[in-house]
Amino acid sequence: MDSVDLNVLRSVLEWRRAGQRVVLYSVVQTWGTAPRAPGAMLALREDGVVIGSVSGGCVEDDLIARLHDGRIPTDGPPVQLITYGVTREEAARFGLPCGGTLRLTEEQVGDPHWVAELLTRCEAHEIVARSLDIATGEVLLQSADKADVLSFDGNTLRAIYGPRWRLLLIGAGQLSRYVAEMARLLDFEVLICDPRSEFVYGWEEQHGRFVSGMPDEAVLTIQTDERTAIVALTHDPRLDDMALLTALDSKAFYVGALGSRVNSLKRRKNLAELGLSPQAIERLHGPIGLHIGSHSPAEIALSLMAEIVAIKNGVELKQKKAVAGGYMSEPIGVIVLAAGQGSRFRQVAGADKDKLLADCTGRDGTVRSVVEQVLVSVPASLDKRVLVTTEDRPQVIRMAKAYGFEIVLIETTGMGDSIAAGVAACQNLGGWMIVLGDMPFILPSSIERVAAQIAADCVSVPVYAGKYGHPVGFGRSFGPGLAGLSGDHGAKPLFAQGRVVEVAVDDPGALWDVDVPEKLVFF
């Protein structure tokens, strides 16, 4: 049952307890095209106030008119059947689509005890059948099954009520905020669990309820049922896998975890080693989401919610991306360099102005800080993420954690030192993508194209207008060379140690670094 219908019942209970007369309308049958499905409800108070909906608006107007002109007598039958749209003219009058017919029950609500009981049972996540005897108005509540549907034989209306659909998010990072907002718009009750206290900040205005404890405890605490989806989004296997071990053995209709195809395969292997059955592991959705070419957190959230809603509605998942070969065959580490002090920028803007925190308008039209624009542009498929910075940048550190980056702190600020520290933090990979923290205008598609060309013995470089740009990808064989860099020397001398694959990109952002304040405006 959606929140609208729950609010209808809550209002019925409140109004009746206040001694006010209430008429409850329920859609019991439709023919042709109708605005609302069977089961939709509307409550009408004695003064004409309504809550809920049974059509696009015109039927509601007529129901209110019935009350005011005496067509709903207080001494009339407890339940009546009303039909709208019998003729073409009547359908047009009430705004029903061509050929649409709508039949409603008009029910005088007497003792509201059954309403209170129904709400209590729904809030306890029980599925309940309400049988309404049309002749007597008698109501009977019984337990129901998720496969039960509304039925009406002309004498008895049997309507099915249940709890709202729920979404439990493991992790309160940036992506979770986008998912929570979209889930709320789709009428999911949003629950969040993240034992990392630093991620709770900023959720005060978000629509979601925090569940205390560790992720596995949260899955048990909320009494997971067939109307619950659970998604692990922390990028931390210690937390994600903890939740998955419990969630995959629960009744949740959807269990997913953020990660690339390679990491998803590793996760399945780890779960098997931890004793989870093959049948339970088979339920895991990963990589999550439908393939829509998503790059930004908002797009990833959209693809995830599209998949969850499709499964909720029993729709076959035809738009899942089958990835084979290319850079997805081995994990690639993304190293964002954010330790440089930006002396040229400070000379112009002021000694206390950190260019990484300066606002700029990204290629997607959204205003973010320079470093957040960089973090947003990293594709979700590249989920081994490291940001190298200094401890005097707490805002950068907090932001990077929210986007799933591991933080590597260094004392020096040389590019060579930063690269070496980043590679040391994510060894034994298929390669590394070096991303500069002051280049906020690179398109995510450019990053993906460069990553796709990484091979063991080659350097992958974007080329725009005949010039080499960023980011630069290095294959596995360059690991020792990258780890041996130091000082202010970058990785360009390593180009001579292998093949250089030039990747043509139609992206001036690949050449655009913010070294002075004027460069905050992209054109």
Side-chain angles (χ1 to χ4, degrees), residues 167 169 171 173-192 203 206-209 233 301 304-305:
L167 175 61
L169 301 175
Q174 189 73 16
L175 176 57
S176 294
R177 297 171 190 264
Y178 284 98
V179 175
E181 182 64 16
M182 290 188 186
R184 184 190 67 84
L185 293 173
L186 292 165
D187 206 42
F188 281 77
E189 178 186 2
V190 178
L191 309 170
I192 310 105
W203 275 89
Q206 296 289 326
H207 298 274
R209 175 171 64 86
L233 299 173
L304 168 62
M305 290 310 304

Side-chain angles (χ1 to χ4, degrees), residues 296-414:
S296 68
E299 291 173 342
I300 296 168
L302 175 62
S303 72
L304 168 62
M305 290 310 304
E307 181 177 43
I308 290 175
V309 171
I311 292 174
K312 164 183 168 288
N313 293 340
V315 176
E316 182 182 355
L317 301 180
K318 295 183 178 180
Q319 205 164 321
K320 292 289 287 184
K321 186 176 182 181
V323 182
Y327 76 93
M328 292 296 287
S329 60
E330 289 186 290
I332 301 297
V334 177
I335 302 172
V336 174
L337 307 184
Q341 293 302 300
S343 56
R344 288 188 62 196
F345 188 93
R346 293 178 188 269
Q347 286 174 4
V348 179
D352 61 338
K353 301 299 183 182
D354 186 348
K355 66 178 179 180
L356 297 185
L357 299 177
D359 284 342
C360 62
T361 302
R363 302 285 291 274
D364 62 356
T366 302
V367 176
R368 306 181 183 93
S369 66
V370 167
V371 71
E372 186 174 8
Q373 299 285 9
V374 173
L375 300 175
V376 166
S377 69
V378 176
S381 55
L382 302 172
D383 60 358
K384 181 59 181 176
R385 304 164 169 220
V386 170
L387 181 134
V388 182
T389 190
T390 52
E391 65 178 358
D392 60 348
R393 280 182 161 134
Q395 289 175 270
V396 173
I397 293 170
R398 184 166 58 246
M399 200 177 305
K401 286 182 176 180
Y403 282 94
F405 282 76
E406 176 186 345
I407 305 301
V408 175
L409 297 178
I410 60 173
E411 296 181 357
T412 59
T413 60

Side-chain angles (χ1 to χ4, degrees), residues 345 355 360 370 438-441 512-517 519-520:
F345 188 93
K355 66 178 179 180
C360 62
V370 167
D438 64 350
M439 297 190 68
F441 303 118
W512 195 289
D513 65 317
V514 178
D515 55 349
V516 292
K519 299 294 285 292
L520 289 169

Side-chain angles (χ1 to χ4, degrees), residues 243-250 255 271 276 279-281 283-285:
L244 296 175
L245 282 169
T246 306
L248 289 168
D249 271 334
S250 74
V255 179
L271 292 173
L276 206 59
Q279 294 79 8
I281 295 173
R283 297 183 59 216
L284 178 63
H285 292 268

Side-chain angles (χ1 to χ4, degrees), residues 170-239:
I170 307 299
Q174 189 73 16
L175 176 57
S176 294
R177 297 171 190 264
Y178 284 98
V179 175
E181 182 64 16
M182 290 188 186
R184 184 190 67 84
L185 293 173
L186 292 165
D187 206 42
F188 281 77
E189 178 186 2
V190 178
L191 309 170
I192 310 105
C193 175
D194 197 328
R196 304 168 299 178
S197 58
E198 61 268 28
F199 285 89
V200 177
Y201 177 78
W203 275 89
E204 290 82 0
E205 297 181 2
Q206 296 289 326
H207 298 274
R209 175 171 64 86
F210 271 81
V211 181
S212 62
M214 298 303 288
D216 56 336
E217 298 170 337
V219 174
L220 297 174
T221 298
I222 67 170
Q223 298 182 328
T224 303
D225 59 13
E226 297 90 344
R227 291 173 175 248
T228 304
I230 301 173
V231 188
L233 299 173
T234 71
H235 266 302
D236 185 341
R238 294 170 299 178
L239 297 176

